[in-house]
Amino acid sequence: KAGVTQTPRYLIKTRGQQVTLSCSPISGHRSVSWYQQTPGQGLQFLFEYFSETQRNKGNFPGRFSGRQFSNSRSEMNVSTLELGDSALYLCASSLVQGFDEQYFGPGTRLTVT
Amino acid sequence: AQTVTQSQPEMSVQEAETVTLSCTYDTSESNYYLFWYKQPPSRQMILVIRQEAYKQQNATENRFSVNFQKAAKSFSLKISDSQLGDTAMYFCAFMTLTGNQFYFGTGTSLTVIP
């Protein structure tokens, strides 16, 4: 069974631009969660989607948004990029809603210049 | 608010020896889950072990075991017979059942020395 895949793996953007990251969960998994990993803040939970609905949300500004499609694939969007948004963005999938038994993808490394 | 603290930013251990990574957390909830995740260099994060707060018995997975002290809010990870492949960043994590929130500690970088 294929693992969690994230595209693109690396991305360079300029301040003020917007970016969309994609995550394909393990086949059969219906929950996708997103995390931001930075050296200073560590790993922080962004949001979780289950059955195309956002179920849980971390403490991030509205510039961070996401969505989930009927095939459980999820996208995360960051608008008006700031230098501080440079990070590794991880997504994780699980069979059911919640964070139990999460399987992580390799991440998308976003650099904002 | 829940917090997870890992007080050891870096640790090292000789191959085949035993090492213990510390984690403490703060919560007012009585039911929750605790996890240890491993993130090898340039590789994906994987779940090492999990513990349900309502279970008194400490979880064990092969060479990995935890010492869960609920009253002290402590959740340490013991790695026995350390192997070179254990070199990684280890994250302690906490999951609420009520708020459906997930919190990571800042991580401990473990190096296994041959």
Side-chain angles (χ1 to χ4, degrees):
Chain A
K1 188 182 276 190
V4 179
T5 59
Q6 291 187 246
T7 56
R9 293 293 310 279
Y10 302 92
L11 205 50
I12 300 176
K13 289 286 188 179
T14 305
R15 268 183 303 175
Q17 288 186 316
Q18 75 162 12
V19 66
T20 299
L21 312 181
S22 180
C23 173
S24 293
I26 290 173
S27 178
H29 284 197
R30 298 172 61 194
S31 171
V32 174
S33 298
W34 288 89
Y35 299 86
Q36 181 195 66
Q37 185 175 19
T38 61
Q41 298 295 321
L43 274 155
Q44 293 184 286
F45 167 67
L46 280 154
F47 30 64
E48 181 204 7
Y49 284 86
F50 180 79
S51 293
E52 302 177 61
T53 303
Q54 187 180 92
R55 303 291 178 161
N56 299 294
K57 190 176 188 303
N59 189 26
F60 276 81
R63 299 185 298 107
F64 292 82
S65 63
R67 59 177 175 169
Q68 187 179 35
F69 301 94
S70 58
N71 62 358
S72 294
R73 188 178 70 86
S74 176
E75 287 183 347
M76 189 192 88
N77 185 275
V78 188
S79 62
T80 319
L81 283 166
E82 301 177 359
L83 295 178
D85 297 333
S86 293
L88 180 67
Y89 290 88
L90 296 171
C91 85
S93 76
S94 56
L95 199 57
V96 296
Q97 182 184 345
F99 305 97
D100 198 14
E101 297 291 348
Q102 291 186 96
Y103 293 82
F104 283 81
T108 293
R109 173 75 62 184
L110 172 66
T111 302
V112 182
T113 62
Chain B
Q2 280 70 222
T3 59
V4 180
T5 302
Q6 293 179 251
S7 59
Q8 306 151 314
E10 295 182 1
M11 293 188 73
S12 61
V13 62
Q14 291 287 337
E15 194 175 5
E17 296 294 309
T18 295
V19 64
T20 299
L21 308 183
S22 301
C23 173
T24 59
Y25 57 95
D26 187 26
T27 183
S28 58
E29 312 222 356
S30 57
N31 290 316
Y32 46 87
Y33 287 90
L34 294 162
F35 305 86
W36 277 99
Y37 280 88
K38 168 185 176 182
Q39 188 177 38
S42 302
R43 293 182 64 185
Q44 293 170 229
M45 179 132 40
I46 59 173
L47 177 65
V48 174
I49 200 166
R50 54 174 278 184
Q51 173 82 42
E52 292 88 346
Y54 62 87
K55 290 186 177 179
Q56 292 185 331
Q57 186 172 5
N58 290 324
T60 299
E61 286 289 341
N62 301 315
R63 299 182 295 108
F64 299 87
S65 61
V66 298
N67 183 5
F68 174 47
Q69 302 288 331
K70 191 173 183 180
K73 295 179 181 174
S74 170
F75 183 60
S76 60
L77 174 70
K78 186 173 83 170
I79 305 174
S80 304
D81 185 26
S82 296
Q83 301 174 1
L84 297 180
D86 295 334
T87 293
M89 196 76 166
Y90 287 82
F91 293 95
C92 177
F94 171 99
M95 179 182 89
T96 68
L97 294 180
T98 54
N100 281 336
Q101 290 287 321
F102 202 87
Y103 301 92
F104 280 96
T106 51
T108 295
S109 178
L110 176 67
T111 301
V112 179
I113 302 167

